[in-house]
Amino acid sequence: MMMIKPNYKKAEILARKFLKDSKVKGFPLDLDFFRKVYNKTHNTRLRIKSFSWYMKKYNLSYSGMIEFINSEDGCCFYSKEEEKAIIIYNDFLNNAGRIRWTIAHEFGHLILGHINNNRAIITRNKLSEKEYNAYELEANTFARELLAPMSLVYYIYDCLGDKISIDSIFGISHEAAQNILKRMLEWSKTHDYSKDTCLYVQFSKFIHSKYCSSCNHFFLSYNKQEKYCKFCGNEFEFKYKEDVNTMKYKDYDISKNKQVLRCLTCDNEDIDFNNDKYAFCHICGSPVINKCLNKNEKTQCGKSLPANARFCPYCGSETLFYEKGLLKAWNKKQEEIPTFSFDSEVPPEEEIPF
């Protein structure tokens, strides 16, 4: 008798390939967008519908619906003759993360070839126990790598540490998030996730996005030590936001020795850029190098900082330029720019309520 074992590697590879081919840039994923990508790349028309829709269409009760598909979460039907597939999810569940997992799981059955010409639906009474369990484990692996890829969880955990919120970042249930984080920490002892560079390149901006809810500043930071907003001094909440009213603050060009190219007080351009000791304008005496003013013996910082920084992003202290009045408070002068968003190339046709 042939041994039936789940092929985890295959499920992981296909999930990552689908992420790459879809060219998405951020999370949580728009599953309806993935439906459209699937329809474009396969000779199948895939729809995603709720229990409510199916029950109304076929005059089924809730218990009758569960009995019909033999599941409380959802299922996927496939018709080779009509070249159609439909994923049905339980919209009566008060758990958006669980619903998203169900859709990704059923989507995995399609991509992995579990549902094909000879099998229109995956149910316990249609398969042997071993075959059913193998397919379910593969579909769960696919769902995990699609919704919250292990290597991305690693990279974001490396940036945020204990502040990480897997469920809100990736749009999955708290239970699934805890299991994924626990597994990632365990597997990272024997697997070097830093070598998984393919997804890192695709989602680099997402991984390093930071947002300040105080002054509404959104930017990219590749330095894990930056914990404070350089414009208002507020400690970052480490939230990923796709749609925010971002603010752009005037910046100033600096030399290789960190001097501004023009004095911010008198507009003097005659600055000795080759001398790293030249720190004050020889015309008006104003500083030309911005730095942190933290002189606390235990937490002394004193780092050189960008010319438009009001506060030190490493310790939260005021900067020299801000103290001297060369920079105004963040809420005194700011210029709004268009909303930032990760590209969503295809607008949703059929709205999924989460």
Side-chain angles (χ1 to χ4, degrees):
M1 182 178 178
M2 184 178 67
M3 291 292 291
I4 300 173
K5 293 183 178 180
N7 190 337
Y8 299 113
K9 195 67 178 177
K10 175 185 175 183
E12 290 177 356
I13 290 173
L14 288 177
R16 293 182 184 188
K17 183 181 185 302
F18 202 79
L19 281 173
K20 182 181 179 181
D21 292 345
S22 68
K23 298 180 181 179
V24 294
K25 300 296 183 183
F27 291 84
L29 296 177
D30 179 353
L31 293 179
D32 198 56
F33 171 70
F34 274 72
R35 177 185 67 82
K36 293 178 174 64
V37 172
Y38 178 85
N39 286 342
K40 283 185 177 181
T41 55
H42 293 72
N43 293 322
T44 302
R45 183 195 173 202
L46 171 64
R47 292 181 297 165
I48 301 175
K49 295 294 186 179
S50 65
F51 267 30
S52 298
W53 176 88
Y54 202 91
M55 288 161 57
K56 182 177 181 181
K57 184 175 179 65
Y58 295 100
N59 194 28
L60 289 172
S61 64
Y62 180 72
S63 59
M65 182 71 194
I66 292 175
E67 183 179 356
F68 173 60
I69 65 171
N70 198 24
S71 171
E72 293 184 356
D73 290 294
C75 72
C76 180
F77 291 109
Y78 172 73
S79 171
K80 173 62 178 176
E81 292 74 21
E82 298 180 358
E83 295 184 339
K84 291 181 180 179
I86 182 171
I87 292 174
I88 302 171
Y89 64 89
N90 189 345
D91 55 326
F92 293 95
L93 297 175
N94 188 27
N95 189 328
R98 181 176 170 182
I99 293 173
R100 286 171 55 80
W101 187 279
T102 295
I103 294 173
H105 175 99
E106 298 302 331
F107 190 57
H109 282 310
L110 270 178
I111 297 293
L112 292 163
H114 298 162
I115 300 175
N116 50 44
N117 299 352
N118 301 318
R119 189 182 300 110
I121 184 174
I122 301 292
T123 59
R124 286 185 182 275
N125 55 12
K126 300 283 185 180
L127 303 166
S128 69
E129 189 69 18
K130 288 184 178 180
E131 191 176 17
Y132 177 83
N133 289 336
Y135 284 167
E136 287 297 289
L137 289 171
E138 286 182 2
N140 274 333
T141 300
F142 180 93
R144 184 198 72 212
E145 283 300 302
L146 185 72
L147 296 177
M150 199 72 81
S151 58
L152 290 191
V153 173
Y154 165 81
Y155 280 118
I156 294 177
Y157 183 83
D158 189 48
C159 291
L160 307 186
D162 292 337
K163 291 180 180 286
I164 193 170
S165 177
I166 298 294
D167 44 351
S168 61
I169 291 173
F170 292 101
I172 57 180
S173 69
H174 181 71
E175 181 183 2
Q178 292 301 106
N179 289 335
I180 289 173
L181 182 58
K182 181 180 179 181
R183 184 169 296 182
M184 185 279 293
L185 292 173
E186 184 64 31
W187 287 1
S188 63
K189 295 175 183 178
T190 56
H191 179 78
D192 186 1
Y193 284 106
S194 64
K195 292 182 178 180
D196 296 342
T197 57
C198 185
L199 286 183
Y200 175 81
V201 171
Q202 182 176 349
F203 294 101
S204 179
K205 289 185 177 180
F206 174 76
I207 293 169
H208 296 288
S209 301
K210 290 187 179 179
Y211 175 69
C212 174
S213 61
S214 178
C215 69
N216 218 23
H217 181 61
F218 178 90
F219 68 106
L220 298 176
S221 171
Y222 296 87
N223 190 331
K224 293 186 292 185
Q225 302 305 315
E226 291 187 351
K227 299 179 181 179
Y228 301 89
C229 177
K230 66 180 182 179
F231 297 118
C232 72
N234 184 58
E235 186 173 5
F236 291 119
E237 296 182 9
F238 298 105
K239 289 183 179 179
Y240 291 97
K241 291 181 179 288
E242 291 191 16
D243 298 303
V244 291
N245 294 319
T246 56
M247 298 295 174
K248 182 178 181 180
Y249 298 86
K250 185 176 180 180
D251 204 356
Y252 304 90
D253 293 330
I254 59 175
S255 70
K256 63 180 180 180
N257 288 319
K258 310 296 184 182
Q259 300 120 323
V260 289
L261 301 188
R262 292 171 176 265
C263 174
L264 300 187
T265 299
C266 69
D267 207 32
N268 171 37
E269 296 180 77
D270 186 19
I271 295 172
D272 188 356
F273 300 121
N274 294 319
N275 185 353
D276 61 2
K277 302 297 183 183
Y278 190 104
F280 297 90
C281 176
H282 65 276
I283 301 297
C284 68
S286 293
V288 294
I289 298 177
N290 198 17
K291 65 178 183 179
C292 173
L293 293 180
N294 185 353
K295 297 178 180 178
N296 185 295
E297 291 184 2
K298 294 182 178 180
T299 60
Q300 188 171 2
C301 183
K303 293 181 182 292
S304 294
L305 300 171
N308 64 353
R310 280 84 169 159
F311 295 86
C312 175
Y314 305 100
C315 70
S317 300
E318 287 189 2
T319 65
L320 179 60
F321 279 13
Y322 188 54
E323 184 200 51
K324 296 296 184 181
L326 304 183
L327 298 173
K328 295 181 180 180
W330 68 270
N331 55 353
K332 295 294 183 181
K333 187 176 184 180
Q334 57 188 6
E335 177 186 353
E336 190 166 339
I337 62 174
T339 299
F340 174 91
S341 66
F342 295 106
D343 292 334
S344 181
E345 298 175 9
V346 183
E349 221 172 67
E350 299 176 18
E351 210 170 292
I352 301 176
F354 45 81

